[in-house]
Amino acid sequence: MRESETPRAEQPVRTVDASSAATSSADHQHRRERELHSLYATARSLTALVDVDTVLASIVRHARDLIGTDVTYLSVFDEGRTALTLRAVDGSLSPAFRSAHVPANTGVGGRVVQTQAAVWVKNYLADDSLVHDADFDRVLRAEGIMALLGVPLRKGQEVFGILYAADRIERPFGIDEVALLSAFADHAAVALQNARLYEESKRALADLRDAYATIERSEHMHDALTRVVLTGGGAGEVAELLAASLGGTVAIYDRDNQLVVNTSAADEQPSFPSKDLASTLEDSRRSGRCVTSTDSAGAHHTIAPILAGDAYLGLVVQSAPSHLFDAEQRALERAGQILALLTLKQNALVEAQERVRGELLADVITSLRPYSAELLARANSRGLPAGRVNAVVIVACEVIQPGALVRQLHTVAGEWPALVGLHQGKATMVLDTQDVNKATAAVHRSLRASLRAPVIVSAAAVQATHQSLQRPFEIASRCIKILRRLGIEDRAVSASQLGVYALAFDPDRGDDLQQFLTETLGPLLDYDAQRNSDLVQTLAAYFNNSTNLTKTSEALHVHLNTLVKRLNRISSVIGPDWQEPPRALPLQLAAQLSMLTRSEGKA
């Protein structure tokens, strides 16, 4: 404690009568009783379980009543213990004083921390022994404070704050005042810690209640999801349940990451995942658990995979501004398991239906016409008047399996009396249509829009002379092989549209094709066979590149001089006029057909 004044000089002895002494003793006794009563009442009121701000306001108010100073205030350390910030005040006049803060190593507060004891000064601004902060000095000057007493608030051996009593006149603080404020500060420190613990307990209790409510919601949702399975519900019902329970929007995607259902009001949803969430999807698939990612807009996307063993069946995405709790993530994972069960159930049903359709389709294609009454009845039960089938359509796509193509083909086949299924590993449809070319184009257009991938749709008309549909099926199959050999992966075509190329894909005209090739390319074919050369391939590449020497050499990966030598060799074998129009067209066609038939087995 700072000494207040120099020792006072001895004073003359004064005589006091008995009545004055008795009065003085009674006043002192009365003041002590009032202080003790106030301290007891203050301590008792501070034990009430209230929030921290209420406790702080109570501390400074009771301290001011107890000590009788102009101002009392309380400051606590910030998290880094670099400054003391005023948290509560009673009796101040200046608004700036209510938001004051001072560096921790300055002023009376710095001295209290240093000495771990109470410190007072009779004139703060005039005391040069303290480390002053200019900003805080201006605040005190505006408030008019001169005398200042600070006592520590302790938690164990650590000072976490300081309780101040201040007057606007210059004066010392007596020992009784210091002891009384220190005792009060000890009570206040305990009360403040209790208030903090009480707030922490309330937060923990609130968190516990929230967690319990979340668990209850998860249990209710799990029961609801189970009812969806038992009552034959689908992905739409699951998405609505998740959105109602977890909030935000819910989207469900299939194994090809194509949107199945979405609770958002948006008209269109892109294929998932987006580039910034692709790694999150991979983490979720690898772990089998929920993984959350935040996009550039701050939205949280929680992804749960739909898995059946090692088989990936799709995913569920819950999107919301806030993160899901652990219990909610487990609920989302259970929803993924429910969706896996629904998918397996649906797949089993589809596979059973496909087996029935596949068997019927095979019978329709391979059976001799006219069909038996039993086969006609089976076909009619599936909506197909088999006796009127006049086209066979085959669909092929490099990036989508035939089984998935069949599922998509089912969605577009309703426009005609048709039967769809797998035949010899190919997505096939037999139908009754008045215009084969128009039907082929319509199927391609619909599949292209739904698959969002290049697709070949090939059709062959059924002729009255065909004993079965196997021949049109083979013709349509060869169409696809030829288109791929030509580098075409996205086209709708019928056998009639390919014109002279029918020589290459009609299985009944193989002799005609061979005769045409022999008459046109016979010498070159013999030359290549005898010398293991590639003159026919060179001729085809030359025509395919519009007779451009540079492009042809690049396509064949040979030097330009080598190409010129080969072309000269062709001239010597079949004659120098082979590039003239009368010969060039059949040679170009024959060379291309030869390459097509050569690679047909590889298509």
Side-chain angles (χ1 to χ4, degrees), residues 164-486:
Y164 296 94
D167 267 327
R168 295 187 176 90
I169 59 171
E170 180 176 333
R171 76 168 182 92
F173 287 89
I175 295 176
D176 290 346
E177 292 176 307
V178 173
L180 189 60
L181 191 63
S182 296
F184 181 85
D186 291 339
H187 286 292
V190 173
L192 189 57
Q193 292 302 315
N194 287 341
R196 287 178 174 173
L197 291 174
Y198 176 64
E199 284 197 346
E200 292 175 1
S201 299
K202 287 201 301 182
R203 286 194 296 268
L205 180 59
D207 292 342
L208 183 60
R209 287 173 176 168
D210 290 342
Y212 181 73
T214 301
I215 292 173
E216 280 194 324
R217 288 198 306 270
S218 299
E219 290 179 350
H220 293 324
M221 185 177 66
H222 184 66
D223 293 340
L225 290 172
T226 303
R227 286 194 296 272
V228 169
V229 176
L230 297 177
T231 58
E237 289 88 340
V238 173
E240 293 296 337
L241 282 173
L242 290 174
S245 178
L246 304 180
T249 62
V250 175
I252 299 175
Y253 297 80
D254 62 17
R255 70 182 73 199
D256 298 318
N257 292 334
Q258 297 296 316
L259 184 67
V260 176
V261 64
N262 182 39
T263 61
S264 171
D267 293 333
E268 293 187 8
Q269 291 292 326
S271 295
F272 194 87
S274 58
K275 291 182 179 179
D276 55 342
L277 297 178
S279 60
T280 305
L281 171 57
E282 290 304 316
D283 292 342
S284 178
R285 290 181 59 175
R286 186 166 45 252
S287 65
R289 305 297 298 271
C290 278
V291 179
T292 300
S293 178
T294 305
D295 63 20
S296 57
H300 296 272
H301 302 280
T302 304
I303 300 173
I306 303 173
L307 302 173
D310 294 332
Y312 172 69
L313 303 178
L315 69 154
V316 188
V317 184
Q318 188 269 351
S319 302
S322 59
H323 193 284
L324 291 181
F325 295 115
D326 287 344
E328 293 173 324
Q329 292 188 18
R330 302 295 82 79
L332 196 64
E333 291 171 359
R334 286 197 293 271
Q337 296 169 357
I338 293 295
L339 286 167
L341 291 174
L342 291 174
T343 303
L344 291 176
K345 177 183 176 182
Q346 182 180 10
N347 289 347
L349 179 61
V350 169
E351 288 175 3
Q353 294 174 342
E354 288 300 328
R355 282 195 298 271
V356 173
R357 292 193 186 101
E359 293 171 358
L360 177 58
L361 180 67
D363 289 341
V364 170
I365 292 176
T366 60
S367 296
L368 295 178
R369 302 192 302 167
Y371 295 124
S372 66
E374 185 269 339
L375 181 56
L376 288 174
R378 289 169 56 200
N380 284 329
S381 68
R382 294 287 176 177
L384 175 69
R388 299 208 309 266
V389 169
N390 57 13
V392 177
V393 175
I394 298 178
V395 178
C397 180
E398 281 289 335
V399 297
I400 299 177
Q401 295 297 319
L405 288 177
V406 168
R407 289 192 291 272
Q408 292 295 327
L409 195 54
H410 274 300
T411 64
V412 302
E415 187 174 341
W416 310 273
L419 183 64
V420 177
L422 281 177
H423 184 63
Q424 296 182 3
K426 298 179 176 66
T428 306
M429 176 171 70
V430 296
L431 69 156
D432 175 21
T433 176
Q434 295 180 354
D435 190 328
V436 175
N437 293 339
K438 185 177 180 180
T440 306
V443 171
H444 177 267
R445 186 166 52 252
S446 297
L447 289 178
R448 189 66 176 82
S450 60
L451 296 174
R452 301 180 183 179
V455 61
I456 297 177
V457 179
S458 171
V462 177
Q463 304 298 329
T465 57
H466 292 158
Q467 293 182 333
S468 73
L469 302 188
Q470 189 63 36
R471 181 185 176 195
F473 175 82
E474 293 174 357
I475 291 174
S477 298
R478 284 198 179 187
C479 282
I480 292 177
K481 294 178 181 178
I482 288 172
L483 290 177
R484 284 181 169 170
R485 178 61 187 86
L486 293 172

Side-chain angles (χ1 to χ4, degrees), residues 485 516-517 520-521 524-525 535-541 543-544 584-598:
R485 178 61 187 86
F516 174 74
L517 294 177
T520 309
L521 292 177
L524 285 179
L525 292 170
L535 294 185
V536 174
Q537 181 184 12
T538 301
L539 185 64
F543 284 124
N544 286 343
L585 181 59
L587 279 172
Q588 180 178 358
L589 176 59
Q592 188 63 45
L593 289 173
S594 178
M595 298 305 297
L596 289 172
T597 56
R598 182 186 304 183

Side-chain angles (χ1 to χ4, degrees), residues 563-583:
L563 174 62
V564 172
K565 290 180 181 179
R566 289 187 183 182
L567 295 176
N568 290 335
R569 179 65 63 186
I570 292 174
S571 297
S572 67
V573 174
I574 62 175
D577 62 340
W578 63 273
Q579 297 190 64
E580 297 299 325
R583 292 195 65 191

Side-chain angles (χ1 to χ4, degrees), residues 46 55 59 74 153 160 163 183-193:
L46 290 177
V55 170
I59 288 173
L74 186 147
L153 297 173
F160 67 87
L163 178 61
F184 181 85
D186 291 339
H187 286 292
V190 173
L192 189 57
Q193 292 302 315

